[in-house]
Amino acid sequence: MSQLATFIQQQRHTKSILLMTHVIYGYPDIASSLQMMGTILQKGVAILEVQFPFSDPVADGPTITDACHQALQNQPKLGQCITDISQLAAQFPSSRVLLMSYLNPLLQYGFDALATDMAAHISGVIIPDLPIDQHTMLAPLVAANVDPIWLMIPDMQQSRIDFVAAKARGMLYCVSRKGVTGQGAGSQRAKQQLHDYLDAIKASTQVPLALGFGISTAEQVSELIGVVDIAVVGSALLRAFQAQGLAGFSAKIDELMSVS
Amino acid sequence: MNDTGYFGQYGGSFIPEILYSSQQQLLKHYRQAMADPDFIAQVKREMQQYSGRPTPLTHCANLSAQIGGAQIYLKREDLNHSGAHKMNNVIGQGLLAKRMGKKRVIAETGAGQHGVATALISARLGFECTIYMGAHDIARQYPNVFWMKQLGATVVPVTSGSQTLKDALDEALRDWTASYEDTHYLIGTSCGCEPFPEMVAGFQSVIGEEVKEQAMAQIGAMPDKIYACVGGGSNACGIFLPFVGTDTELVGIEAGGRGDGVGEHAKRFHTDQAKFGISQGFASMFIQDDQGQLAPTHSISAGLDYVGVSPILADLSDRGLVRMTSAGDSEVLAAFKTLMKAEGIIAALESSHAIAGGLREAAELDSSQNIVINVSGRGDKDIFTIAKALEDQPFNDFLRSYLEEGQ
């Protein structure tokens, strides 16, 4: 069994829901982004998702896209990013660190090199523009126990769910709705559809489920208790940082962590 | 899309999972439509009756004599309705979207030619239409934006990233991830995930098919060489594909810009600034830095500054079936003027790259040889850029008095 999945299941013995929060490496600058990551880990967030910025983040909405473009002004290097976040992961062994990026920066680095450099401390990788059909590209990561974390979306056909479920390792990242990151959640009817969609996935796999897109408050996180294992908060934390700096960011994590 | 949609190592489908089912739906309908003689006839009829096809093949006696080499012929895609080859593709995809029952189309545009063509076909076929266009391009090509709006399209300025075509494409993809149920993404060039490269190149291949017939009728032989400018690559694919594997040499001309430095050109071939990459839904040659970040580009023509290139052309280049070269901004302007004065044809700056490449090589050829240059679009839209480049002071005076009169 995947080390990440085991970690999540052990954590869930004592916590009703886990939190996964997101930081863009290099935004607003590399040092500050590392400080934000340190804050997240110090506060005991279970999973830290670090986005290595890409020039053309097609699955991200305006908040994260603009922040990625600003981060690129600082010329972040993927090799240094992995080194930096590996150090953090080593420093906080009771949490897990995932790398998220788009395909091209990872492709240029090379999946063999990524597997070698990530194996010690990084538990998984999320690549929103890599469809499951291309899973063999990530074989070196799987061999190194770095889990590819696949995305699930609403309206997936059962055969497609089964196809992804068969390849699932560590956790599945379920997108709550169509569209890009950073937009609000929907109506009561939308919530029922969400439950139906997650039930269909649960019927196909034992792998822990994370839900993301549109989760911004502690109330929303608490609503997910018993529904999924992990609530993912991305754009909302970024907006808190943009509004009130590190203090606002820190307060937002405290708010989210009050649920568990 | 497993192992389909590839051209050698290029192409494929690299899209977020959210787009999977709409892509599958498009693929299914596209295959069905292309196997339906009624659909093919409908596309052909619309190309004739709405866009004015076939476009002529024009012999340039003056220009040929002036250059003193091969006989120069122009394929006149500038005479399409909307003034560019872009119309061929929007007719095909527009009719397909109609067949699929879509209510809305979205498109990205660089120079604005594809945006205008999409807005035109949307008006004719009754689609709601949204065009994504980089804010920099809007500033360069406002007259096209004006017409899109007049035609009823919503033009969304894209202010993220480099604010050019690639960012407009990103934004259109984001729209599609939320709107795919009732919306067709009408990609303007032979890039993107399967089946877009094949589909766009297919609808554009009418250009090369016509050249074959016209060359036999007018020259009595196939052309020795064909020249086309290469941005995303749709006009080049269109004129080249029917000739792949024949004795006709196919030459693509990229935007050489103002120099070889990063951000000074838009060359995807013959430069170490471009290499194999995967982005915007497909694998191809992309201009990028050592971290895999897509790099800034420049061209005097807004329609040639795309950071990637059609996977079909990347593969044909690898296989030696298409030869890629480039022309810089100043050579392009000179070629633009030479053609205009010799033959009375105002070509788009994009197409003037092909003219520059063709004129450069025509001089080396024998007068018994024949070349065809694809004039992908007309140059009226470039009046502001060209007037500026030619430092035409009276044009500035005109603009000043135009503004003063309006007050």
Side-chain angles (χ1 to χ4, degrees), chain A residues 2 25 35 37 39 42 62-63 69-70 74 82-83 87 93 125 127 138-139 151 169 189 211 217 240 243:
Chain A
S2 144
Y25 182 78
Q35 203 181 344
M37 295 175 210
T39 302
Q42 263 162 13
T63 307
H69 287 141
Q70 199 178 322
N74 301 313
I82 293 169
T83 303
Q87 275 174 10
V125 62
I127 313 173
L138 303 187
L151 273 70
R169 294 175 55 91
R189 184 166 159 270
L211 186 74
T217 63

Side-chain angles (χ1 to χ4, degrees), chain A:
Chain A
M1 183 162 200
S2 144
Q3 291 167 8
L4 177 60
T6 306
F7 165 80
I8 293 166
Q9 282 162 359
Q10 284 172 350
Q11 290 279 307
R12 287 274 284 106
H13 287 317
T14 55
K15 293 176 187 160
S16 54
I17 191 157
L18 307 184
L19 200 60
M20 171 163 142
T21 58
H22 168 271
V23 176
I24 298 166
Y25 182 78
Y27 176 83
D29 55 68
I30 290 169
S32 302
S33 67
L34 291 173
Q35 203 181 344
M36 281 189 257
M37 295 175 210
T39 302
I40 285 172
L41 294 168
Q42 263 162 13
K43 290 180 184 291
V45 169
I47 302 175
L48 167 67
E49 177 192 9
V50 178
Q51 177 163 2
F52 183 75
F54 178 51
S55 54
D56 294 79
V58 294
D60 283 303
T63 307
I64 290 179
T65 296
D66 289 345
C68 283
H69 287 141
Q70 199 178 322
L72 288 173
Q73 300 293 317
N74 301 313
Q75 301 187 314
K77 308 283 184 211
L78 182 54
Q80 189 60 46
C81 171
I82 293 169
T83 303
D84 290 345
I85 66 176
S86 294
Q87 275 174 10
L88 278 171
Q91 214 179 319
F92 295 96
S94 54
S95 295
R96 293 293 179 271
V97 177
L98 309 178
L99 178 70
M100 178 269 185
S101 193
Y102 287 80
L103 182 53
N104 202 52
L106 305 180
L107 181 75
Q108 301 307 326
Y109 196 88
F111 288 106
D112 288 319
L114 270 181
T116 305
D117 296 349
M118 289 170 68
H121 298 289
I122 312 299
S123 304
V125 62
I126 301 169
I127 313 173
D129 60 341
L130 184 73
I132 186 77
D133 313 272
Q134 307 283 353
H135 66 92
T136 53
M137 286 175 81
L138 303 187
L141 294 173
V142 174
N145 247 318
V146 179
D147 293 335
I149 293 157
W150 300 104
L151 273 70
M152 305 296 271
I153 52 119
D155 305 331
M156 257 170 136
Q157 289 187 348
Q158 189 60 45
S159 59
R160 189 78 176 162
I161 292 176
D162 293 340
F163 183 38
V164 181
K167 305 276 183 275
R169 294 175 55 91
M171 59 189 254
L172 281 168
Y173 188 135
C174 305
V175 174
S176 60
R177 49 156 178 75
K178 22 182 218 179
V180 294
T181 57
Q183 288 151 6
S187 59
Q188 201 58 41
R189 184 166 159 270
K191 279 178 186 162
Q192 185 54 48
Q193 285 173 342
L194 177 66
H195 284 224
D196 293 347
Y197 146 61
L198 293 171
D199 285 345
I201 297 169
K202 285 176 198 167
S204 296
T205 181
Q206 299 294 311
V207 170
L209 301 186
L211 186 74
F213 283 38
I215 301 170
S216 60
T217 63
E219 191 190 346
Q220 285 174 317
V221 174
S222 66
E223 282 174 7
L224 295 175
I225 292 172
V227 179
V228 288
D229 301 286
I230 303 153
V232 185
V233 181
S235 306
L237 268 175
L238 184 55
R239 283 194 293 264
F241 174 80
Q242 288 170 339
Q244 293 169 302
L246 263 181
F249 179 83
S250 186
K252 188 74 192 170
I253 297 167
D254 288 338
E255 178 206 319
L256 297 166
M257 286 291 285
S258 66
V259 184
S260 68

Side-chain angles (χ1 to χ4, degrees), chain B residues 154 200 353 373:
Chain B
T154 303
V200 177
H353 285 72
I373 303 173

Side-chain angles (χ1 to χ4, degrees), chain A residues 52-61 65-66 69 72 76-79 103-108 128-134 137 151-156 160 163-164 175 177-180, chain B residues 1-3 6 12-21 159-162 166-167 169-171 173-175 177-181 275-280 286 288-295:
Chain A
F52 183 75
F54 178 51
S55 54
D56 294 79
V58 294
D60 283 303
T65 296
D66 289 345
H69 287 141
L72 288 173
K77 308 283 184 211
L78 182 54
L103 182 53
N104 202 52
L106 305 180
L107 181 75
Q108 301 307 326
D129 60 341
L130 184 73
I132 186 77
D133 313 272
Q134 307 283 353
M137 286 175 81
L151 273 70
M152 305 296 271
I153 52 119
D155 305 331
M156 257 170 136
R160 189 78 176 162
F163 183 38
V164 181
V175 174
R177 49 156 178 75
K178 22 182 218 179
V180 294
Chain B
M1 264 331 6
N2 303 335
D3 298 324
Y6 279 91
S13 293
F14 297 88
I15 48 173
E17 182 65 28
I18 192 85
L19 291 176
Y20 176 79
S21 55
T159 55
S160 61
S162 62
K166 79 174 176 69
D167 308 281
L169 201 151
D170 291 339
E171 207 55 41
L173 272 175
R174 291 183 188 113
D175 180 313
T177 62
S179 65
Y180 54 84
E181 282 161 0
K275 58 186 176 218
F276 179 87
I278 301 176
S279 186
Q280 306 209 298
F286 286 93
Q288 54 185 304
D289 68 13
D290 66 337
Q291 294 295 305
Q293 307 293 348
L294 303 190

